[in-house]
Amino acid sequence: MHGPLGDRARRLGSPWWRGLAAALAGALPVLVFPAPSWWWLAYAVLVPWLLLVRTAPTVRRAAADGWLGGAGFMLAVHQWLLPSLHVFILVLALLLGALWAPWGILVRALLGGRPGAGRAAAALVLVPSGWLMVELVRSWEYLGGPWGLLGASQWQLPPALRLASIGGVWLLSLLIVAVNTGLAELIARPAAWRPAVTGLVVCALAGTAAWFRSPVPRPAGTVRIAVVQPGLTGTPTERLARAEALTRSLAGRGVRLVVWGESSLYQDPADHPALAARLTALSRQTGTDLLVNADARRNGRPGIEKSALLIGPHGPVGERYSKMRLVPFGEYIPARAVLGWATRVGRAATTDRIRGTHQVVMRVPDAGGLRAGPLVCFETAFPDMSRHLARDGAQVLVAQSSTSTFQESWAPAQHASLAALRAAENWRPMVHATLTGVSAVYGPRGEPVGERLGTGRSAAAVYDLQLAKGTSPYTRFGDWAVYGAVGALVIAGGYAGVRALRRRPGPAPR
């Protein structure tokens, strides 16, 4: 074969060129997340990767295409960690990228060659199910957590948010990969179009049915909440003074709860009476409760703890919440005895944070007993944590965050977008308050509320937040989409095993 197509085919025959193509194809999905937020591209962004893997000449090559594509995806989605982890981010990307190796084998088995109608139809179910298993495994907090789940790219699309209230972010990922698989089948074998078109129509009908027929939350009054974002103001002392000044500006505006960002205090009020008295006086002056966050040592305990504390006009109120899921390398180093060298090549944690033991729903006295469910930073990426708070009676989800280390990257916008998804999943409004931006607030359907405080702002913003009655299907039934994907893979594996046994030749006759 001569010409451009022949040259391209020869290049893909080279393991080096093919590996580079796989890594680039795997990195493409980064464009569907903030800051680019090209959400519409999600429905075709996996097609180049799928078409490459299906042409793998061997099973081993398909596994390599999956692995290198996964490494490209992990590196692109976490590129904002490069200044902190340096070369170690490449090591992590290669390790986590290996999770896509079995998915590459699955893609080749179902889409490779000239698949018939049965195999093409099976691919529309099993390829998305295999992708979901990768997302599930890498969502384990000790492997880095669920940052960059494909379904999270649809945070600003109302029909997708409605689907999230039914099956969570997992259902969105399944449908997105199913659409990509159908498009890949149409491109690879346009003559065998029926299964692919049928699958695409089913996905479109599912989204339409969810929009018109799925239940929606019922209004249950409003509450006025404020977010204080001090911005980049120098030392912790200067930041505290700025936060106090912004909070005082809210006096007389009917605010029932003021939320500060993560690490807004570097001393624990429980161990520093002067600080506790200062915050109590601030609450009394403004006539509202304060939700602050202490990133500090506590007397009698080793290490540092990140805690959300509610301060009222008479002092601390109720039970504090200590962060349960910590950022690997950012807040602790896994197997520090082995991987402690990471502190010498980047800004990895020099001291491990203390892990909290249980979630807490706080009652806000000044807001008529409003039940708030606090989360700290990274925890907003975990669907199960917000769901548990909603099941425990939280009326408002509140996230305290700080991405000041990654101020000029895509991380602040991507982090803020997760709050829309968590709100829609559970029919609970969510407040995402940060020290330096992006701060944002979303209603019970995931819709944006009020102004968004960007990374260049130092401000206090007030939001009239719509509360909601009812329990969303996702809150009630949980991760049924994940269980369905597991069941489909188990059934397919059992069927393939039985067929293999039937094909095995019997003993040769004597």
Side-chain angles (χ1 to χ4, degrees):
M1 184 185 297
H2 300 284
L5 291 178
D7 293 340
R8 203 169 300 151
R10 282 194 298 274
R11 286 178 181 174
L12 290 180
S14 162
W16 296 104
W17 280 107
R18 190 179 183 94
L20 178 61
L24 292 175
L28 279 177
V30 72
L31 299 175
V32 305
F33 299 104
S37 275
W38 296 349
W39 61 265
W40 45 268
L41 187 61
Y43 299 93
V45 75
L46 297 179
V47 171
W49 192 3
L50 289 167
L51 293 176
L52 178 70
V53 175
R54 72 173 291 275
T55 62
T58 64
V59 171
R60 179 178 294 182
R61 186 65 244 179
D65 290 344
W67 171 40
L68 294 173
F73 176 72
M74 295 305 293
L75 186 60
V77 169
H78 295 90
Q79 39 80 22
W80 44 273
L81 284 173
L82 188 60
S84 296
L85 296 183
H86 298 294
V87 70
F88 200 72
I89 187 62
L90 180 60
V91 176
L92 290 176
L94 289 171
L95 290 173
L96 293 173
L99 295 173
W100 274 271
W103 183 75
I105 296 172
L106 180 67
V107 169
R108 179 182 182 273
L110 293 169
L111 298 180
R114 299 177 63 83
R119 189 148 58 100
L124 292 169
V125 176
L126 298 179
V127 170
S129 297
W131 179 278
L132 200 62
M133 292 304 99
V134 177
E135 289 199 336
L136 183 66
V137 172
R138 77 177 184 86
S139 294
W140 189 37
E141 60 178 302
Y142 298 104
L143 290 180
W147 189 276
L149 300 183
L150 198 57
S153 65
Q154 306 302 292
W155 65 277
Q156 56 188 331
L157 188 65
L161 293 172
R162 189 74 60 85
L163 280 169
S165 73
I166 299 173
V169 66
W170 313 112
L171 180 59
L172 295 181
S173 288
L174 275 176
L175 290 177
I176 290 171
V177 182
V179 171
N180 277 270
T181 304
L183 291 177
E185 288 180 341
L186 284 176
I187 294 171
R189 287 209 65 202
W193 56 269
R194 287 184 177 83
V197 171
T198 301
L200 294 174
V201 170
V202 168
C203 290
L205 290 176
T208 304
W211 180 251
F212 287 105
R213 304 297 299 174
S214 64
V216 295
R218 303 187 304 278
T222 60
V223 62
R224 180 164 287 188
I225 292 178
V227 169
V228 166
Q229 180 177 295
L232 292 171
T233 55
T235 68
T237 302
E238 293 170 335
R239 186 171 63 222
L240 175 58
R242 177 61 178 161
E244 287 178 311
L246 290 170
T247 302
R248 287 192 189 95
S249 72
L250 298 169
R253 299 183 63 181
V255 175
R256 302 274 67 92
L257 176 66
V258 176
V259 184
W260 290 10
E262 178 190 15
S263 304
S264 47
L265 304 176
Y266 274 90
Q267 291 179 326
D268 196 307
D271 300 326
H272 294 80
L275 176 60
R278 184 175 171 180
L279 295 172
T280 300
L282 181 62
S283 172
R284 196 159 45 243
Q285 291 167 15
T286 56
T288 182
D289 294 326
L290 312 177
L291 184 63
V292 298
N293 189 279
D295 186 0
R297 296 182 183 274
R298 295 181 62 188
N299 286 346
R301 297 192 182 192
I304 298 173
E305 188 173 338
K306 284 192 177 182
S307 301
L309 304 95
L310 189 63
I311 307 291
H314 303 291
V317 179
E319 185 180 4
R320 71 166 61 206
Y321 168 66
S322 296
K323 188 175 183 181
M324 295 172 59
R325 296 186 182 170
L326 305 176
V327 181
F329 297 97
E331 294 173 328
Y332 78 102
I333 294 183
R336 184 176 284 273
V338 178
L339 300 176
W341 58 269
T343 60
R344 298 192 296 272
V345 298
R347 294 195 291 251
T350 55
T351 303
D352 290 349
R353 298 300 198 270
I354 299 174
R355 195 180 298 274
T357 58
H358 63 282
Q359 291 188 265
V360 173
V361 175
M362 297 177 171
R363 286 189 175 272
V364 185
D366 195 54
L370 176 76
R371 297 184 298 276
L375 297 163
V376 181
C377 196
F378 177 60
E379 294 177 330
T380 62
F382 294 87
D384 64 303
M385 296 195 73
S386 300
R387 177 173 172 260
H388 289 161
L389 288 171
R391 288 177 65 91
D392 289 342
Q395 296 169 281
V396 176
L397 302 173
V398 182
Q400 296 175 299
S401 177
S402 173
T403 49
S404 55
T405 305
F406 315 105
Q407 193 77 350
E408 303 303 323
S409 72
W410 293 351
Q414 190 172 346
H415 196 184
S417 71
L418 296 175
L421 204 60
R422 302 289 90 87
E425 285 174 339
N426 300 287
W427 289 358
R428 295 295 179 265
M430 188 160 187
V431 178
H432 180 83
T434 71
L435 288 180
T436 59
V438 174
S439 296
V441 176
Y442 300 94
R445 301 189 190 191
E447 73 278 15
V449 176
E451 65 175 321
R452 184 182 177 93
L453 300 180
T455 53
R457 298 283 303 279
S458 174
V462 176
Y463 303 88
D464 288 315
L465 209 53
Q466 177 73 60
L467 303 179
K469 291 180 181 177
T471 303
S472 73
Y474 175 69
T475 302
R476 179 177 288 115
F477 300 113
D479 301 327
W480 60 266
V482 173
Y483 304 141
V486 171
L489 291 170
V490 169
I491 292 171
Y495 176 73
V498 169
R499 288 192 63 186
L501 288 174
R502 287 178 176 175
R503 290 176 179 174
R504 183 179 297 173
R510 295 185 179 180

